[in-house]
Amino acid sequence: MAVKYTKPQMINQQVGWCGGCGHGIIQRLIAECCEELGLAERTVQVVDIACAYWSIDTLNCDGIAGPHGRCAAVATGIKKVRPDANVYVHAGDGCSYVIGLAETCFAAQRNVPITMIVVNNGIFGMTGGQMCLATTLVGDKTTSSKSGRDDHVAGSPFDMLQIIQNYPIAYAARGALYDPKHIMETKKMIKKGFENQRDNKGFSIIEVLSPCPTNWKMSAVDAMKKLKEENEKVFPVKVYVDRTNSGGVDNG
């Protein structure tokens, strides 16, 4: 018997992301996970004032657009006053690891039971395609590194999950979007993050390697190829830490 696939009911209108962008795939995975876990009615999304912002118009759930870079802090506040809510962040690497580095780190240090979904597309997307200090690869050209990122000038990108795994968090993992297998693995990671929050096990962060064909100035196919052949060498796809068997946390 043929299987009929339909879009999640949480997605209620078309979105405005560029063709080939990975944000739309991530949004669908989020919606599928929320519905499969029965969390859609009590989900609150926190999006950044950047590419992720489109999600707040498209998903049928409560949401707040936090100040640029402050999504983890906003999500923490929501979770404190709505401990029953499924609170997640959908934001980029520039928001979470550069402008909002302190907010992300302190949410992790407090092991706040929220779920952070960080889109690693190696660039500041919405603001003009500038270099992201955390994730732009050495040699990659951006509007602020027109000759390519020079590690003698701007330093090298760093693996934030390698760092944050040392914080007292529940879960940290990185997925990718360059083929169906990795998309489904990424979905499992996102679902795990929501389950951890549902069961009050602590802070979860899921980073997703995602293409940005517009700012990378390449086709969608070539952008996916770059993710696999270049970006993943610097940012390995794997589970970094899973402490979910250690019990719950105090959300007081």
Side-chain angles (χ1 to χ4, degrees):
M1 180 182 293
V3 178
K4 183 178 180 180
Y5 291 98
T6 59
K7 73 174 181 63
Q9 293 183 358
M10 284 183 72
I11 299 177
N12 58 16
Q13 66 179 29
Q14 291 183 334
V15 74
W17 287 307
C18 302
C21 173
H23 276 276
I25 300 174
I26 295 168
Q27 178 187 253
R28 167 132 190 173
L29 297 181
I30 291 169
E32 289 179 354
C33 290
C34 287
E35 292 185 0
E36 290 169 12
L37 292 171
L39 298 172
E41 293 297 322
R42 53 191 179 99
T43 291
V44 181
Q45 60 174 320
V46 180
V47 299
D48 187 40
I49 304 297
C51 298
Y53 180 82
W54 287 105
S55 183
I56 207 165
D57 292 330
T58 309
L59 286 183
N60 186 23
C61 65
D62 291 333
I64 293 178
H68 195 27
R70 311 300 181 245
C71 290
V74 173
T76 296
I78 296 170
K79 190 66 178 181
K80 291 298 182 180
V81 298
R82 285 282 309 280
D84 61 313
N86 178 49
V87 184
Y88 76 88
V89 170
H90 178 180
D93 42 8
C95 163
S96 304
Y97 298 160
V98 181
I99 297 173
L101 178 60
E103 284 75 10
T104 298
C105 288
F106 280 105
Q109 178 61 33
R110 292 191 295 268
N111 199 21
V112 181
I114 59 173
T115 307
M116 282 196 71
I117 300 164
V118 179
V119 184
N120 179 348
N121 57 16
I123 206 162
F124 276 91
M126 182 71 80
T127 58
Q130 298 91 346
M131 177 180 65
C132 176
L133 288 172
T135 59
T136 299
L137 302 186
V138 172
D140 277 5
K141 296 180 179 179
T142 72
T143 56
S144 58
S145 59
K146 293 187 177 181
S147 298
R149 179 173 185 163
D150 184 346
D151 55 345
H152 296 291
V153 176
S156 300
F158 58 87
D159 186 343
M160 184 61 189
L161 297 189
Q162 186 70 36
I163 299 168
I164 209 167
Q165 69 175 339
N166 297 303
Y167 285 68
I169 63 175
Y171 184 73
R174 179 181 293 114
L177 302 177
Y178 55 74
D179 62 27
K181 175 185 175 182
H182 283 82
I183 290 172
M184 295 311 296
E185 289 177 352
T186 300
K187 179 179 177 179
K188 291 179 182 178
M189 293 173 178
I190 293 173
K191 181 175 282 189
K192 177 73 170 179
F194 287 148
E195 289 172 337
N196 290 341
Q197 182 176 173
R198 178 197 63 192
D199 299 336
N200 199 36
K201 290 187 174 179
F203 180 92
S204 297
I205 183 167
I206 299 92
E207 183 184 303
V208 184
L209 297 182
S210 177
C212 184
T214 297
N215 285 304
W216 291 358
K217 301 188 186 317
M218 57 179 60
S219 70
V221 173
D222 287 342
M224 289 295 191
K225 184 178 180 182
K226 180 182 186 301
L227 276 185
K228 181 178 181 178
E229 297 181 357
E230 299 180 29
N231 295 62
E232 190 178 349
K233 290 180 180 179
V234 179
F235 303 106
V237 171
K238 63 178 182 177
V239 174
Y240 279 72
V241 66
D242 183 354
R243 299 189 181 98
T244 56
N245 292 323
S246 62
V249 297
D250 181 9
N251 189 35

